[in-house]
Amino acid sequence: MSEPVALGLRERKKQRTRAAIQREALRLFESKGFDATTVEEIAEAADIAPSTFFTYFPSKVAVALQDELDPLIIEALNAQPPEVPPISALRNAMRSTFSVLTPEQERMLRQRMRVMASDPALSAAVLNQFSELLDEVANVVAGRTGVSPDDFAVQNLSGAILGVVMATYRVIARNPDIDLNRLLDDALAHLEAGLPLPVPAQSSGSGAPGARAPRSAS
């Protein structure tokens, strides 16, 4: 009777340790710089042995890229009714996930975005993950549409979704007070509308009106 409880306690302890490592790592990355921060310094700040660090993360890069929200978004996405189109389903999933973030979760998300945008090595690591992430998104889209993940249209849509989310995260990094939930929803609404460009101001009043993008994400 006690073993399941013990397993639960061990798992919660692991989650707390993992969160502490990432929290202290992000703090040091932002204050000292990614390259200048050592694993030993992260371990000391998190009150663990350096060897324990590698039990949870294979590298400093992995700490910065770790996103605890990904499985929550996937869970919320899978809960969407099957008749909801992929982008609308993702909008709903993102909205429900980001609307209930704790202050600590939002703070760490913003911090991660700033750290990744400020360091070339981390920016390159994000791009290196693109193929893996593309496959994951394609599998989700394929599961909702019944089309093969390798279908060009599925790959194309999946790449567009990733591009929109990555662009949104760059905006978050540059704007510390921006509304995360609204920005992400606007970004996906823009994709859903076909990514129309805003109409530039016409000083002469001439020119045909064009498509208008959703609320500005800058």
Side-chain angles (χ1 to χ4, degrees):
M1 292 290 290
S2 62
E3 186 174 357
V5 176
L7 289 173
L9 290 173
R10 284 199 294 271
E11 183 59 34
R12 288 197 292 273
K13 183 178 180 180
K14 288 180 180 179
Q15 291 175 354
R16 287 195 297 269
T17 301
R18 176 183 289 271
I21 293 171
Q22 187 178 45
R23 181 176 62 250
E24 295 302 330
L26 291 174
R27 179 181 63 80
L28 289 167
F29 292 159
E30 194 162 35
S31 62
K32 295 188 60 177
F34 178 77
D35 288 334
T37 300
T38 67
V39 168
E40 289 73 19
E41 288 172 325
I42 297 171
E44 182 179 2
D47 196 25
I48 60 170
S51 58
T52 303
F53 173 94
F54 294 106
T55 301
Y56 290 88
F57 296 99
S59 66
K60 291 193 303 180
V61 171
V63 179
L65 298 185
Q66 171 69 28
D67 189 348
E68 66 172 8
L69 299 181
D70 284 348
L72 300 179
I73 294 170
I74 294 299
E75 181 180 356
L77 180 58
N78 289 334
Q80 295 296 308
E83 67 273 10
V84 178
I87 299 178
S88 295
L90 181 59
R91 284 182 69 188
N92 294 340
M94 297 283 274
R95 191 183 300 123
S96 64
T97 301
F98 280 81
S99 64
V100 296
L101 291 184
T102 66
E104 175 69 3
Q105 286 175 318
E106 182 170 332
R107 184 192 67 77
M108 287 186 65
L109 173 61
R110 292 180 184 274
Q111 194 173 36
R112 282 184 59 247
M113 297 305 105
R114 292 194 299 269
V115 166
M116 287 192 293
S118 65
D119 187 89
L122 290 178
S123 296
V126 172
L127 293 178
N128 286 338
Q129 277 192 325
F130 191 90
S131 293
E132 179 181 343
L133 292 172
L134 184 62
D135 288 340
E136 291 182 12
V137 176
N139 284 330
V140 172
V141 173
R144 299 192 65 84
T145 60
V147 180
S148 169
D150 296 325
D151 185 87
F152 174 74
V154 172
Q155 292 281 315
N156 208 23
L157 175 59
S158 302
I161 290 172
L162 279 179
V164 165
V165 173
M166 290 174 67
T168 302
Y169 281 174
R170 288 172 59 87
V171 174
I172 292 171
R174 296 193 301 265
N175 296 269
D177 299 321
I178 200 163
D179 185 327
L180 298 181
N181 203 13
R182 173 173 170 175
L183 176 65
L184 285 163
D185 192 62
D186 281 354
L188 290 171
H190 189 201
L191 175 60
E192 197 170 26
L195 300 176
L197 292 174
V199 179
Q202 299 289 337
S203 57
S204 63
S206 61
R212 185 176 183 84
R215 295 172 298 211
S216 174
S218 61

